């Protein structure tokens, strides 16, 4: 055992390095200070900008009603060192060093929080007018497109595609959304739940083309595999995201089926002194009996508290904290506020509250009598009450649950 390792084990970690300055990385650094960590905290980010929040990028920042979405954190007051504009390039656990473009950074404990990166459209690289929407720079490049009210084609009818289409229509653009599947949100929601959302596009003046695949993108046009040619001054690609973990190759850190870091219940990795949190990491959920990979803001907000607790607790012999949340996310699209809580993959029953063609409705998923997930459209009270019921594992009465006039919390089984 090296002298450095012996000293680290005697005194606890003195240097925590966080790779990634998005929400998960920032919240990890903040949580460490809130939970009493007094050593060095270094936050490394690939972008040169002050750390910022991502959800406003597809809303206020994109539409120009906000210049940026910088996080309200006084890093200097918290004693958090920022190293921005430095992309990480590798990890050498045996040396306890993180490699960056500016040279190696030593650590006692490392937190991997490099998030996810957008999937690119094959063959579209270098074509003028093709955009992604993941970073502040992406949003700033797209802002003039909306301001000029150009013809826009969105590839992908997922969450980001719908949100961008909403903003583009609000700005006065002509918008066509191209989706390879037969409905919006095909990978996120069952057909009977996503189908009613198809009408939202037409109601907003957006042309939605399903069962449509992109053959190629040319300057000023998108050509589909059926020969259709769509005018496109700009193309927004929103076909998904994948964990940003390629830089971990050769590090010995175990990755999961989607290339994410396979963390354990305490968000530790297969390599000593390395944690992973946020979009780049999956974790085993006892609540749902499977490993979850959650690419949403709330996961990046909640997970860091577990990481910080386990870093601080490891030095004092505290038992590891377990991360097993009820996943939650929201989306604003076509004048509707959509919220989801839970995980419906193991559900065996679906209960509707309200009519799907109406302005407000909720879908509840049950496993036996237990509520495991719900999607609420314009019904925030259902979401708030349902989330607590899911956390508590409460048994529900399906008949009472189906009554949209009844508060969801009053539909418990007798």
């Amino acid at each position: 055992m090296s002298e450095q390792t012996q000293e680290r084990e005697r005194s606890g970690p003195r240097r925590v390095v966080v790779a990634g300055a998005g929400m998960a990385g920032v919240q990890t650094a903040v949580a460490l200070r809130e939970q009493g960590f007094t050593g060095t905290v270094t936050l490394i980010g690939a972008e040169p900008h002050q750390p910022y929040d991502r959800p406003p990028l597809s809303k206020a920042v994109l539409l120009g009603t906000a210049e940026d979405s910088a996080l309200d954190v006084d890093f200097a007051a918290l004693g958090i060192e920022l190293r921005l504009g430095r992309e990480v390039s590798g990890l050498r656990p045996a040396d306890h060093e993180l490699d960056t473009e500016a040279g190696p950074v030593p650590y006692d404990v490392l937190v991997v929080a490099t998030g996810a990166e957008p999937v690119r459209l094959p063959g579209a690289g270098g074509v003028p007018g093709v955009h992604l929407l993941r970073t502040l720079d992406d949003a700033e490049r797209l802002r003039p497109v909306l301001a000029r009210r150009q013809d826009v084609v969105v590839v992908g009818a997922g969450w980001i595609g719908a949100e961008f289409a909403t903003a583009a229509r609000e700005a006065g653009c002509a918008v066509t959304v191209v989706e390879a599947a037969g409905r919006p949100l095909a990978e996120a929601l069952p057909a009977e739940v996503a189908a009613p959302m198809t009408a939202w596009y037409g109601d907003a003046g957006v042309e939605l083309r399903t069962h449509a695949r992109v053959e190629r993108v040319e300057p000023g046009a998108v050509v589909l595999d059926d020969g259709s040619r769509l005018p496109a001054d700009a193309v927004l690609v929103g076909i998904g995201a994948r964990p940003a973990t390629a830089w971990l190759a050769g590090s010995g850190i175990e990755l999961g089926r989607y290339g994410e870091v396979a963390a354990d219940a305490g968000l530790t990795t297969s390599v000593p002194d390395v944690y992973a949190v946020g979009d780049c990491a999956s974790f085993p959920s006892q609540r749902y009996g499977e490993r979850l990979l959650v690419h949403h803001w709330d996961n990046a907000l909640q997970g860091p508290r577990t990481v910080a607790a386990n870093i601080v607790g490891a030095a004092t012999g505290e038992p590891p904290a377990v991360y097993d949340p009820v996943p939650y996310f929201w989306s604003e699209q076509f004048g509707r506020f959509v919220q989801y809580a839970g995980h419906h993959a193991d559900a065996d029953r679906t209960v509707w509250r309200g009519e799907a063609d109406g302005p407000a409705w909720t879908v509840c998923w049950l496993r036996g009598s237990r509520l495991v997930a719900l999607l609420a459209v314009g019904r925030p009270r259902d979401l708030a009450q349902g989330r607590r019921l899911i956390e508590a594992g409460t048994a529900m009465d399906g008949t009472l649950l189906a009554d949209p006039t009844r508060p969801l919390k009053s539909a418990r089984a007798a």
Side-chain angles (χ1 to χ4, degrees), residues 253-267:
I253 287 183
E254 180 185 353
L255 302 182
R257 59 183 296 191
Y258 301 106
E260 83 285 4
V261 177
D264 68 10
L267 299 180

Side-chain angles (χ1 to χ4, degrees), residues 154-175:
V154 180
V155 182
W159 299 112
I160 194 65
E163 291 183 0
F164 178 79
T166 299
R169 281 300 298 146
E170 186 175 333
C173 298
V175 181

